[in-house]
Amino acid sequence: MDAILLQILNGLDKGSAYALIALGLTLIFGTLGVVNFAHGALFMIGAFCAVTLQRILNLSYEVVDETQTDFLGNPLKVKTPYVEAWFGPEFGGALIDWAVPLAILFAIPIMVGVGYVMERGLIKHFYKRPHADQILVTFGLAIVLQEVVKYFYGANPIQTPAPDALNGVVNLGAVIGMDIIYPVWRVVYFFFAVLIIGGIFSFLQFTTFGMVVRAGMADRETVGLLGINIDRRFTIMFGIAAAVAGLAGVMYTPINSPNYHMGMDFLVLSFVVVVVGGMGSLPGAVLAGFLLGVLESFASMNEIKSLIPGIDQIIIYVVAIIILLTRPRGLMGRKGVMED
């Protein structure tokens, strides 16, 4: 039972990332009708926002410390971060330690801006083009962004640790008399994902802006005839979707060290999640994300892999084939979406 619960936790952890990326993908497809293959690159850019803020906070200058000497008796040069010099060792050190959570505030305006520029500068010209054209141009954009990040940050993964207070483990099973040791940051990531997902659904469900967007997703032409500038609202939604992907990347950095190809690693899986959940269905994207994350986690168990070697690498695609054979529109797909 301990092993089963542990795999469920692992699945929810991985499913959180799938669900967040798939949610942003579905927001873009549901509002603009664009198949955005550059969405994984937004996840990667968010992760490197955290890397960038960490480097900024660690900018240092050298001072001679007379209290420390080398083996020849010469005073040592010690690097002191600027934030520690400006705000004091305690507060400055805390800012450096909490760089990843602080990167949320750093990443939001950057990701919204990147999303706005991407939509206004490129994607708006492909609204009425075939989906194949959209896939080609956004996939090309993803490769360009990937190579830009590789040029500035290098090809090797960059360690981006969680704050010391959240870097340990916790016994989640103590309450129910079981022994389930789990990393604290992975628990934090799951609750963060639930908070973001809940916030997006609440925004769309309970705000006037969200209601107009949902109406535009259902019947764009009619909403436009009412005198509402639905295109501007959809552009804002593109920025929000970019921010969701970016925040997913920011918080995932302590789990998976950022590298230039991490966006591509998650992109294909996230599109499978979107298709399984149903193209254009936000609840379907979230449900499929967590479902496939849990299934992938169970497939990675040694007992399962010994029975079916390599099943952990293909389980998501096998499940996708089964679901699409039985439910061609996905779990919660709508009639008429991509059926023309």
Side-chain angles (χ1 to χ4, degrees):
M1 183 59 69
D2 289 2
I4 291 175
L5 290 176
L6 183 60
Q7 293 306 319
I8 291 175
L9 289 172
N10 285 333
L12 292 176
D13 163 38
K14 187 171 293 186
S16 298
Y18 293 161
L20 283 175
I21 302 174
L23 181 64
L25 273 170
T26 306
L27 276 173
I28 292 173
F29 180 80
T31 54
L32 302 173
V34 174
V35 182
N36 181 22
F37 258 65
H39 201 71
L42 297 174
F43 177 80
M44 172 197 65
I45 292 172
F48 278 94
C49 283
V51 172
T52 302
L53 182 63
Q54 184 188 53
R55 290 186 173 182
I56 291 173
L57 293 177
N58 279 286
L59 288 175
S60 306
Y61 64 94
E62 289 187 345
V63 295
V64 177
D65 187 352
E66 299 288 348
T67 63
Q68 301 184 50
T69 58
D70 58 18
F71 68 97
L72 296 176
N74 300 315
L76 289 178
K77 291 183 178 180
V78 179
K79 287 187 176 182
T80 302
Y82 285 102
V83 291
E84 290 190 2
W86 295 338
F87 302 108
E90 292 187 5
F91 187 69
L95 289 176
I96 295 172
D97 185 37
W98 288 80
V100 171
L102 289 174
I104 293 174
L105 302 177
F106 180 70
I108 288 176
I110 292 176
M111 297 309 305
V112 171
V114 169
Y116 180 84
V117 171
M118 184 184 296
E119 193 272 338
R120 290 287 87 189
L122 178 65
I123 292 178
K124 75 171 184 178
H125 302 293
F126 289 84
Y127 286 161
K128 297 181 180 180
R129 300 280 288 272
H131 290 306
D133 291 355
Q134 297 171 359
I135 290 172
L136 286 173
V137 73
T138 54
F139 187 74
L141 177 61
I143 293 176
V144 170
L145 293 174
Q146 176 177 288
E147 292 303 314
V148 169
V149 168
K150 181 181 178 182
Y151 176 80
F152 285 103
Y153 292 90
N156 296 323
I158 301 172
Q159 294 290 330
T160 313
D164 290 340
L166 303 175
N167 208 20
V169 295
V170 61
N171 188 353
L172 295 178
V175 178
I176 55 177
M178 303 179 72
D179 190 28
I180 304 175
I181 306 299
Y182 206 70
V184 175
W185 186 258
R186 289 179 179 267
V187 178
V188 170
Y189 189 84
F190 170 73
F191 283 107
F192 173 80
V194 170
L195 179 65
I196 294 295
I197 292 169
I200 292 295
F201 277 95
S202 298
F203 174 72
L204 292 174
Q205 189 71 29
F206 301 116
T207 66
T208 302
F209 187 99
M211 292 178 186
V212 173
V213 168
R214 285 191 291 115
M217 291 170 69
D219 192 340
R220 179 173 185 160
E221 184 177 354
T222 300
V223 173
L225 292 174
L226 294 174
I228 297 173
N229 188 346
I230 193 65
D231 289 339
R232 183 168 61 86
R233 293 173 185 258
F234 282 176
T235 299
I236 294 173
M237 289 307 300
F238 195 103
I240 292 175
V244 170
L247 294 182
V250 167
M251 295 295 283
Y252 207 71
T253 52
I255 298 174
N256 184 14
S257 297
N259 56 76
Y260 73 97
H261 58 78
M262 67 185 302
M264 290 295 186
D265 295 343
F266 275 89
L267 176 65
V268 176
L269 293 174
S270 298
F271 261 100
V272 173
V273 169
V274 170
V275 173
V276 169
M279 293 296 290
S281 172
L282 297 176
V286 175
L287 173 63
F290 285 113
L291 174 63
L292 294 179
V294 171
L295 290 175
E296 186 178 22
S297 178
F298 276 103
S300 66
M301 296 176 66
N302 291 329
E303 295 82 356
I304 303 297
K305 289 193 292 184
S306 63
L307 294 174
I308 312 176
I311 187 63
D312 57 317
Q313 303 296 321
I314 63 171
I315 182 64
I316 286 182
Y317 306 103
V318 171
V319 172
I321 291 171
I322 294 172
I323 289 178
L324 294 178
L325 284 174
T326 55
R327 296 182 62 87
R329 297 190 182 105
L331 294 175
M332 303 178 72
R334 303 193 310 270
K335 183 178 179 179
V337 178
M338 290 192 79
E339 293 181 355
D340 54 336

